[in-house]
Amino acid sequence: MPRAIGRVVPHRQSLIPILWLMTDERIGDGLWAALRRLPRGSGVVFRHYATAARERRALFRRVVRIARARGLVVVQAGERDGFGENGVHGGARGSGLQTAAAHDRREAVAAVRRGADVLFVSPVFATRSHPGAKALGERKARRIAQGLPVVAIALGGMDARRFRGMTGFDGWAAIDAWGSRGSGAK
């Protein structure tokens, strides 16, 4: 399994970020501050599943413009490719980087068989975006992607402080950690 050095790991098509922002409607206008906080070379998984199609496309185009200017990688979740993204998330059809969520080993193996380059293993810790979801804990989360030929990203209640004490992951992703109150990559 590739091990991260700095902020990216080599990939067959480009470099894979090890720091990620997961977007959703809950982030609201905090999205723009979060995009500014991301270090160059970081990634964005654009989700916004509940946003109306026309508004979602416009929002995605704005995120892509900012990402290009800031040297960020953007993958889009959903049923279709957007314009200008670097890949797709969650089994969506498209080219470029393929990312997927894995909540257990079965999902992780299935994602790898579908061609995933990156696995977001979650939820490692309790998270506000999925209240009541049972956290995996570090040990169980680590075993989900162990030995698979992908970049493993810890997701769920993550921030830079928590990640520093972890092993078995190449990087981390969050929503809240990149927000106005979040700790980001400090």
Side-chain angles (χ1 to χ4, degrees):
M1 181 150 104
R3 185 66 196 155
I5 300 172
R7 292 193 176 125
V8 293
V9 291
H11 175 257
R12 66 180 177 268
Q13 297 172 6
S14 61
L15 296 175
I16 297 176
I18 60 167
L19 298 175
W20 290 84
L21 165 67
M22 308 296 282
T23 77
D24 65 14
E25 289 77 10
R26 193 173 56 84
I27 200 168
D29 286 337
L31 174 60
W32 315 117
L35 289 169
R36 285 191 303 274
R37 281 188 178 83
L38 286 171
R40 185 176 268 308
S42 296
V44 178
V45 177
F46 182 83
R47 297 179 309 168
H48 282 75
Y49 298 115
T51 302
R54 174 179 255 159
E55 183 183 347
R56 186 175 195 261
R57 282 190 299 273
L59 184 60
F60 181 70
R61 284 192 296 270
R62 184 173 175 197
V63 167
V64 167
R65 279 193 307 275
I66 292 168
R68 283 181 182 155
R70 301 227 38 257
L72 305 174
V73 170
V74 180
V75 297
Q76 182 176 195
E79 296 180 16
R80 65 177 287 278
D81 277 343
F83 301 97
E85 78 270 34
N86 305 103
V88 293
H89 175 74
R93 296 201 185 275
S95 58
L97 194 60
Q98 305 288 313
T99 70
H103 304 93
D104 58 39
R105 181 68 178 194
R106 182 188 51 75
E107 283 183 346
V109 170
V112 169
R113 286 185 179 144
R114 286 191 313 271
D117 303 300
V118 177
L119 283 182
F120 292 97
V121 178
S122 82
V124 178
F125 301 107
T127 176
R128 289 186 333 129
S129 61
H130 294 85
K134 185 171 176 9
L136 296 165
E138 289 181 53
R139 217 168 69 208
K140 187 173 182 180
R142 187 173 37 249
R143 287 194 307 259
I144 288 174
Q146 191 171 28
L148 295 176
V150 293
V151 173
I153 304 295
L155 172 63
M158 292 302 303
D159 61 24
R161 180 188 54 78
R162 276 191 164 157
F163 181 69
R164 276 192 295 275
M166 295 177 70
T167 61
F169 289 95
D170 297 296
W172 61 275
I175 298 172
D176 293 334
W178 298 112
S180 60
R181 296 180 317 274
S183 61
K186 296 175 186 167

